[in-house]
Amino acid sequence: MALEKIFIVGAGTMGNGIAQTAAVAGFKVTMMDIDQTQLEKAKSVISKSVEKLFQKEKISEKGKENALQINTTNTYQEIKNSDLVIEAATENFDLKKKIFIELDENAGPEAILASNTSSISLTQLAAVTSRPDKVIGMHFMNPVPLMKLVEVIRGLDTSDETTEAVIKAAEKMGKVAVEANDSPGFISNRILCPMLNEAVFVLQEDIGSREAIDEVMKLGMNHPLGPLALADLIGLDVVLSVMEVLQADLGDDKYRPAYLLRKMVAAGHLGRKTGRGFYEY
Ligand code: NAD
């Protein structure tokens, strides 16, 4: 099953990165969002990013042109002809459930429905569709054009055919696919988000300043980014949401979100995307 046309739902941090990467690799891409300003912002982010990558000779002129031709829409009209749908909307189970019902109703019967969720159960998303064998996790990393990994998550009923097809698509995008079974946070966020959350506890308890916490992890553990700067890059709302899923679904309070993380999200300080998180941008 060769996949050619990709329909991306959500044009935020991840959606625009996935759209860009897929278009540069030669897929025909349509990017959908309910928010027109997000679509405009996504187009401008993509055009700046491909120009930079082209100047650095990381992508070809053809790749750049492909990315500048991504279709944008706020309806499901063009989903019918898509082979692969990648949902990258806000991390919220009720919202994703609603979107998966809509995708199942609107996409062609053979289309694969993938989610870029950071933590939500693929088996539960598959269960609201009529095609659980064609539902799968394609967990790209941020920033998508630069990061090599795609974690491929199989729900309980995901078929081998679906898994093979999305691994091939990820490889065509220049990524390395690593398989994981469906469990809250999968491999990546089961390990990463509790570490980021712990850094917020350390800040909250005034054990060190934001700079001290990030320097210790950078210089002492060889992490390229400190945990607070990384949380800002990911989005504090995303980190909070992942911790809530880990705590609820694994039933263990060791995953409780730091109160400071809740406060930052309540105040709308979500990190880079809003210009303020643990740092100012
Ligand atoms: P974001 O807040 O930057 O973007 C979310 C987008 O979804 C927004 O543009 C919003 O308008 C749109 N949206 C909301 N409801 C919608 C609907 N019904 N239909 C279409 N679009 C809708 O979020 P993000 O950081 O891009 O995260 C998207 C997904 O990717 C989440 O599931 C998140 O967990 C996952 N993810 C995020 C990261 C990260 O580092 N930010 C990494 C890996 C995976």
Side-chain angles (χ1 to χ4, degrees), residues 1-2 21 71 87 102 115 118 164 166 176 200 241:
M1 196 194 325
T21 307
N71 284 326
E87 172 276 318
E102 292 167 356
S115 175
S118 300
E164 279 159 28
V166 302
V176 175
V200 185
S241 209

Side-chain angles (χ1 to χ4, degrees), residues 8-16 18 32-36 38-39 76 87-92 95-96 98-99 102 115-120 138-144 189 230 233-235 237-239 241-242 270 273:
I8 294 166
V9 181
T13 314
M14 296 305 289
N16 74 56
I18 298 168
M32 181 268 192
D33 203 294
I34 45 167
D35 183 345
Q36 189 61 34
Q38 284 289 87
L39 286 171
Y76 283 127
E87 172 276 318
T90 313
E91 184 78 349
N92 174 293
L95 172 70
K96 289 198 194 279
K98 179 178 150 285
I99 291 175
E102 292 167 356
S115 175
N116 185 52
T117 177
S118 300
S119 60
I120 291 168
M138 264 187 111
H139 185 208
F140 290 82
M141 303 292 130
N142 183 11
V144 182
N189 284 323
L230 180 55
L233 177 73
I234 292 171
D237 54 335
V238 176
V239 178
S241 209
V242 173
L270 308 183
K273 65 185 165 189

Side-chain angles (χ1 to χ4, degrees), residues 40-76:
E40 297 304 327
K41 195 170 147 196
K43 281 205 276 192
S44 133
V45 168
I46 291 172
S47 76
K48 280 188 202 131
S49 171
V50 289
E51 187 53 47
K52 213 155 122 194
L53 292 171
F54 175 65
Q55 293 301 336
K56 288 187 178 168
E57 297 182 8
K58 301 266 189 219
I59 63 171
S60 66
E61 181 147 29
K62 176 85 180 112
K64 181 178 107 172
E65 290 307 317
N66 289 345
L68 296 175
Q69 269 150 38
I70 292 170
N71 284 326
T72 58
T73 177
N74 43 29
T75 74
Y76 283 127

Side-chain angles (χ1 to χ4, degrees), residues 20-281:
Q20 172 183 326
T21 307
V24 167
F27 290 96
K28 285 245 161 310
V29 178
T30 300
M31 185 169 51
M32 181 268 192
D33 203 294
I34 45 167
D35 183 345
Q36 189 61 34
T37 56
Q38 284 289 87
L39 286 171
E40 297 304 327
K41 195 170 147 196
K43 281 205 276 192
S44 133
V45 168
I46 291 172
S47 76
K48 280 188 202 131
S49 171
V50 289
E51 187 53 47
K52 213 155 122 194
L53 292 171
F54 175 65
Q55 293 301 336
K56 288 187 178 168
E57 297 182 8
K58 301 266 189 219
I59 63 171
S60 66
E61 181 147 29
K62 176 85 180 112
K64 181 178 107 172
E65 290 307 317
N66 289 345
L68 296 175
Q69 269 150 38
I70 292 170
N71 284 326
T72 58
T73 177
N74 43 29
T75 74
Y76 283 127
Q77 216 164 353
E78 286 177 55
I79 203 173
K80 274 269 170 289
N81 305 318
S82 304
D83 309 308
L84 170 64
V85 179
I86 305 177
E87 172 276 318
T90 313
E91 184 78 349
N92 174 293
F93 181 56
D94 290 332
L95 172 70
K96 289 198 194 279
K97 228 166 56 177
K98 179 178 150 285
I99 291 175
F100 267 73
I101 292 170
E102 292 167 356
L103 298 181
D104 192 38
E105 283 170 0
N106 288 283
E110 293 307 316
I112 291 176
L113 307 181
S115 175
N116 185 52
T117 177
S118 300
S119 60
I120 291 168
S121 163
L122 273 309
T123 308
Q124 287 185 42
L125 291 178
V128 303
T129 74
S130 61
R131 59 182 96 188
D133 57 315
K134 295 192 172 64
V135 174
I136 192 160
M138 264 187 111
H139 185 208
F140 290 82
M141 303 292 130
N142 183 11
V144 182
L146 304 183
M147 300 292 280
K148 272 279 170 209
L149 177 69
V150 176
E151 199 178 18
V152 171
I153 303 113
R154 296 181 72 129
L156 197 60
D157 295 318
T158 308
S159 70
D160 291 342
E161 202 188 7
T162 299
T163 309
E164 279 159 28
V166 302
I167 289 176
K168 273 206 189 112
E171 287 171 351
K172 185 173 163 187
M173 292 181 209
K175 305 299 183 200
V176 175
V178 177
E179 277 186 61
N181 289 319
D182 188 20
S183 176
F186 326 123
I187 298 172
S188 53
N189 284 323
R190 174 78 177 266
I191 299 173
L192 176 66
C193 284
M195 195 269 284
L196 303 182
N197 188 48
E198 205 59 34
V200 185
F201 272 118
V202 171
L203 183 67
Q204 177 181 303
E205 291 167 24
D206 197 25
I207 299 167
S209 66
R210 60 185 187 182
E211 289 82 6
I213 293 165
D214 279 354
E215 285 292 279
V216 165
M217 297 306 285
K218 281 199 304 189
L219 302 180
M221 320 297 160
N222 244 354
H223 290 192
L225 266 185
L228 298 173
L230 180 55
D232 277 356
L233 177 73
I234 292 171
L236 303 190
D237 54 335
V238 176
V239 178
L240 175 60
S241 209
V242 173
M243 292 311 296
E244 286 174 340
V245 170
L246 292 179
Q247 184 185 22
D249 291 4
L250 295 167
D252 191 333
D253 278 347
K254 80 175 179 182
Y255 299 110
R256 73 201 180 287
Y259 185 62
L260 177 59
L261 183 61
R262 281 195 192 287
K263 267 208 305 200
M264 300 286 288
V265 172
H269 303 319
L270 308 183
R272 278 178 191 260
K273 65 185 165 189
T274 58
R276 179 172 165 192
F278 293 110
Y279 295 88
E280 295 74 40
Y281 300 90

